[in-house]
Amino acid sequence: MRTPLVMGNWKLNGTKESVSALIKGIEAAADSAKNVEVVVCPPTIFIEQVANLVADNSIEFGAQDVSTNVSGAFTGETSPVMVKEFGAKYSLVGHSERRQYHNETDAVVAAKFVAIQANALVPVLCIGETLEERETDKTFAVVETQLKAVIDVAGIDALENSVIAYEPVWAIGTGKVASSEQAQDVHAHIRTWLAEQSKVVAAKVQILYGGSVKASSAKELFAQPDIDGGLVGGAALLVEEFVGIIEGAK
Ligand code: PGA
């Protein structure tokens, strides 16, 4: 069966002090939730600090974004090789904030997905519709297009060693969590659509829900048959909330 995965996306937040406090605050919960994998994605500058803080506990970590390039004249970028060197396991790719504020197209997202896997990291591919797309019944078409862009370049089998995060854009940072039925509906659709291409991939790939997940909503969301955990933004910065979310995935 698929391991429940709870992943915190810290976005552009934190200080050296708060990063230490957060890891120390969640480590006991992460260690005791033996069946749940707990991951944090700090801003890149805190990756070494996080690597040291998680050396003796079960928390894993990932990057929020990486370059398609491994080295060279690309000012301001972070190489997947560098992230890997510090012990990261994952990298997010295609988060809606990257798509929206950094003009990341489906083609860029696909190239990053390939670069992440080529450097032995596991991509967490973020997909999801805007409010307008949902209201005009385009949700399934949007997630299919976003997945297809990656599959066309990387191949369907590449998804076997990846994670998908379904994050409706209208639910991110808005406090408007999708209902467990709304989320399950899309997750089930994604899995069925993948199964038409590979039953192995569909059975194996973890599909996380993201968008205003809180301790109070986690348990019901994670109890849905096709929801394998959560990608958590705001609530991942609060020890009590994130611990509650980990408990909800047990
Ligand atoms: P949120 O963010 O939990 O603050 O809505 C989720 C995300 O963007 O991954």
Side-chain angles (χ1 to χ4, degrees), residues 9 11 95-97 167 171-175 210-213 231-235:
N9 172 12
K11 307 191 180 185
H95 190 280
S96 68
E97 287 150 16
E167 299 203 296
I172 295 177
T174 57
S212 297
V213 176
L231 181 56
V232 185

Side-chain angles (χ1 to χ4, degrees), residues 20-158:
S20 288
L22 194 44
I23 296 290
K24 292 202 165 74
I26 65 173
E27 66 185 352
D31 286 346
S32 72
K34 299 242 180 293
N35 65 325
V36 182
E37 185 174 348
V38 177
V39 181
V40 296
C41 298
T44 312
I45 198 160
F46 295 122
I47 277 188
E48 183 172 15
Q49 188 187 348
V50 167
N52 291 330
L53 285 163
V54 302
D56 297 321
N57 61 44
S58 62
I59 301 170
E60 301 274 2
F61 64 95
Q64 296 174 14
D65 177 50
V66 289
S67 175
T68 50
N69 298 291
V70 295
S71 64
F74 303 100
T75 302
E77 294 280 79
T78 303
S79 165
V81 177
M82 296 169 184
V83 168
K84 180 74 187 173
E85 190 184 354
F86 284 95
K89 178 169 176 189
Y90 295 94
S91 178
L92 305 184
V93 58
H95 190 280
S96 68
E97 287 150 16
R98 299 292 313 173
R99 294 179 190 262
Q100 194 179 344
Y101 306 134
H102 300 271
N103 304 316
E104 285 193 7
T105 60
D106 279 341
V108 170
V109 173
K112 288 192 173 185
F113 183 100
V114 169
I116 289 164
Q117 281 193 332
N119 293 287
L121 295 162
V122 178
V124 180
L125 173 62
C126 304
I127 57 174
E129 82 287 1
T130 62
L131 185 58
E132 195 199 331
E133 288 162 344
R134 171 160 286 265
E135 285 174 345
T136 50
D137 279 335
K138 296 200 183 95
T139 300
F140 291 169
V142 168
V143 296
E144 285 172 20
T145 302
Q146 290 171 331
L147 288 168
K148 191 170 180 300
V150 171
I151 293 168
D152 283 350
V153 174
I156 181 69
D157 293 340

